[in-house]
Amino acid sequence: MSKPETPPAPSCSQLFWVFTRIALTSFGGGVSGWLLREFVQNRKWMTQEEFLNGLSISQALPGVNVKNMAVWIGYRLLGWRGAIVGFVGIIVPPAIIIVLLGTIFSSLSRYALTHVALTGAAAAAVGLSLSMGITAARAVPRKAVPIAIMAGTFIAVALLHWPLFWVVLAAGLVSVAYAYARAS
Amino acid sequence: MSEIPHTSLLLSLLAVFAPLSLVTIGGGQSAIADINRQVVDVQWLSQAQFVDAFAISRMAPGPGSLLVTLIGWQVAGFWGAVVATLAIFGPTTFLIYAVAHMWSRNGGARWKRALETGLRPVAAGMILASTYVLLQAIDGGWFARAVALASTATLLLTKVNPLLLIGAGVVIFVGLHAISLA
């Protein structure tokens, strides 16, 4: 494999603006695709393999994927300063936007139509959640133990209303131990 | 900014969201069922207000977990938003930082694979549970569920921009509301 040419490392402010721009233009998912495009294909700041490693870890570890990925990329490029820049760039600008949106909608909340409109938005947005759930379920190995863990997690959280923290701790430990034992 | 709200309120925001931060495996989606339960149980928001906040968080850019920022803002203003944001995003940031630091040096391929494959079914179960809870929380009965299922099918089968679907949901509901009034 040929060694990819080493591009100049980005500056902190360059990195910040790339993350902020991606954060502000990512509606309802697909952010990983944008990150890949910017960091690997356009700017060549990291290799695709390095990126995909980070992506699988970001998804496997707890924490919002996009934020995990931003911290991972930032750390790889600029160490701890990059990690901070990634975190702030991907969180703070959209946090300000959502508070503004919330304020606008709450000033409109005396109109019944606002709740009707938001219910329509929520109904369509549940589709994002469900389609992601279906995609995630498809990626589960077709074996008794993983499927039982998936079903058990669903029942405990959705039907029995057990606290998520303990459900995930227990299910996660069993599931990772099982995967570790089989991965020999 | 606004005066600092009662410390105990900020502490309870921290106590609710920081533990949830550690279980948001598979993205923020997975914690929504539990956020809904806790926020409505302690009466920070009504169920209708929660669904509104959820809808706003889906229309806004950025990570969906900023829903928590919005809840913090509604419960305790500026400092509520700051505390809730740090609580939901902070703890796992140290975790990914530590892992990013270690990943480059250690081998441990078996552990890496075990983590990736082991957490997958748990994440899938959680995301489906959140979807189920949301479907039940939404007003509009079978019609809202039909819209949700149509939206799911569209997302699975096409590469449509999700914002367009959300806009379509708004138009359908407002249109139906107008017809029912006429």
Side-chain angles (χ1 to χ4, degrees), chain A residues 5-21:
Chain A
E5 55 192 283
T6 337
S11 70
C12 273
S13 60
Q14 249 181 320
L15 201 57
F16 178 82
W17 285 115
V18 173
F19 279 124
T20 296
R21 195 159 49 85

Side-chain angles (χ1 to χ4, degrees), chain B residues 1 7 29 34-35 42 49 62 70 94 96 100 104 138 143 147 150 152-153:
Chain B
M1 274 300 154
T7 316
Q29 296 283 344
D34 209 55
I35 293 174
V42 296
Q49 283 176 314
L70 187 57
F94 290 107
I96 186 78
S104 47
I138 287 177
F143 187 73
V147 168
T152 305

Side-chain angles (χ1 to χ4, degrees), chain A residues 56-116:
Chain A
S56 61
I57 299 158
S58 296
Q59 287 181 325
L61 283 181
V64 178
N65 292 345
V66 185
K67 181 269 297 171
N68 280 354
M69 200 57 207
V71 172
W72 173 274
I73 293 173
Y75 179 81
R76 278 306 171 92
L77 293 177
L78 291 174
W80 64 269
R81 286 175 307 144
I84 292 174
V85 163
F87 178 82
V88 173
I90 212 89
I91 299 292
V92 174
I96 294 169
I97 301 283
I98 199 172
V99 166
L100 288 177
L101 272 178
T103 312
I104 292 168
F105 275 109
S106 69
S107 73
L108 294 174
S109 65
R110 62 204 141 101
Y111 304 108
L113 200 55
T114 306
H115 184 66
V116 172

Side-chain angles (χ1 to χ4, degrees), chain A residues 23-24 26-27 56-57 60 62-64 67 75 80 87 99 115 118 120 123-124 127 129-130 139 146 154 164 168 175 179-180, chain B residues 22 24 29 52 55 58-59 61-62 65 73 92-93 97 101 103 110 116-121 126 129 131 139 148 151-152 173:
Chain A
L24 291 182
S26 64
F27 292 91
S56 61
I57 299 158
V64 178
K67 181 269 297 171
Y75 179 81
W80 64 269
F87 178 82
V99 166
H115 184 66
L118 286 176
S129 203
L130 183 54
F154 175 82
L164 191 60
V168 172
S175 190
Y180 185 78
Chain B
L22 293 170
T24 49
Q29 296 283 344
D52 284 358
R58 292 304 108 138
M59 280 190 278
S65 299
W73 171 267
T92 55
T93 299
Y97 184 89
H101 188 69
W103 209 262
R110 188 176 174 188
E116 286 164 17
T117 55
L119 292 176
R120 220 179 276 160
M126 280 198 297
T131 311
D139 298 339
S151 155
T152 305
F173 268 66

Side-chain angles (χ1 to χ4, degrees), chain B residues 6-136:
Chain B
H6 212 271
T7 316
S8 67
L9 186 56
L10 294 181
L11 285 177
S12 38
L13 280 169
L14 192 66
V16 166
F17 292 131
L20 281 174
S21 158
L22 293 170
V23 292
T24 49
I25 292 167
Q29 296 283 344
S30 46
I32 285 172
D34 209 55
I35 293 174
N36 188 350
R37 182 181 66 77
Q38 297 207 48
V39 165
V40 174
D41 275 1
V42 296
Q43 299 184 327
W44 281 341
L45 300 180
S46 70
Q47 185 59 56
Q49 283 176 314
F50 180 85
V51 172
D52 284 358
F54 168 76
I56 292 168
S57 76
R58 292 304 108 138
M59 280 190 278
S65 299
L66 288 171
L67 164 67
V68 165
T69 306
L70 187 57
I71 292 171
W73 171 267
Q74 288 174 341
V75 171
F78 175 80
W79 291 107
V82 171
V83 168
T85 307
L86 288 178
I88 199 75
F89 292 110
T92 55
T93 299
F94 290 107
L95 193 62
I96 186 78
Y97 184 89
V99 172
H101 188 69
M102 290 184 309
W103 209 262
S104 47
R105 35 195 78 190
N106 293 339
R110 188 176 174 188
W111 270 112
K112 292 173 190 171
R113 281 206 63 74
L115 272 174
E116 286 164 17
T117 55
L119 292 176
R120 220 179 276 160
V122 183
M126 280 198 297
I127 297 170
L128 291 172
S130 286
T131 311
Y132 177 82
V133 170
L134 280 169
L135 270 177
Q136 293 206 314

Side-chain angles (χ1 to χ4, degrees), chain A residues 144-156:
Chain A
V145 173
I147 288 176
I149 288 169
M150 176 171 74
T153 306
F154 175 82
I155 291 166

